[in-house]
Amino acid sequence: RKLLIEDSNNPVSDGHPTGIQLLEHYINPGTPGNPSGDYRWDIVSGAGNFLISPPNASNPFTITPQGNVGIGTSDIPSGIKLAVCGTIKAKEVVIEMDNWCDYRLDPAFKRMNAQEKLNYILSYGHLPEMDPGDVIEKNGLYTGKNLKGMMANIEDNTMDIIELYQVIKKQNEVI
């Protein structure tokens, strides 16, 4: 193994611009596609970002001076703490939310009636409290906001079903 640290005041010889620190880490034995070994990872600190990537790779691991992280991307949008270009696999993801929807189950809560819901859907083309498809396609799915909207709609629908069941039950008693 070899670790090389070059002074940021001296240009490095492998094409990195002046002022960039380059650390090369060679891993032996060989790797697939490089049986002789010497698979190099470049760790570059430039423009304030810390990048780790295989040579000539377009999918780095990036850490900005603000602590924001990019995995598979060095393009981290403003206000984003973690940007991932690829699939994320996890056993569980926890999203913290304030003002959760359970208040909708309170009998005193005024829900939209069926006609109001129909009018909303016909006017806007999507369920209440949910982002429309074109916004999601343009900006991505804001999971917390839309999960909260889904739960609100599920709770409203549950209460509607219970009310319909009670109406049917009364009608069956009359019949």
Side-chain angles (χ1 to χ4, degrees), residues 39-110:
Y39 186 75
R40 190 182 84 198
W41 285 78
D42 294 339
I43 302 174
V44 180
S45 174
N49 293 339
F50 181 74
L51 306 168
I52 302 173
S53 67
N56 303 318
S58 59
N59 298 324
F61 175 82
T62 306
I63 303 172
T64 69
Q66 297 78 27
N68 303 337
V69 175
I71 301 174
T73 182
S74 58
D75 181 21
I76 305 170
S78 176
I80 302 296
K81 294 302 287 178
L82 174 64
V84 178
C85 182
T87 302
I88 299 171
K89 180 179 178 181
K91 292 195 182 274
E92 186 167 9
V93 176
V94 176
I95 300 171
E96 294 181 2
M97 299 288 299
D98 293 328
N99 195 21
W100 196 245
C101 312
D102 288 342
Y103 61 88
R104 302 176 89 87
L105 299 175
D106 184 332
F109 180 75
K110 172 76 171 99

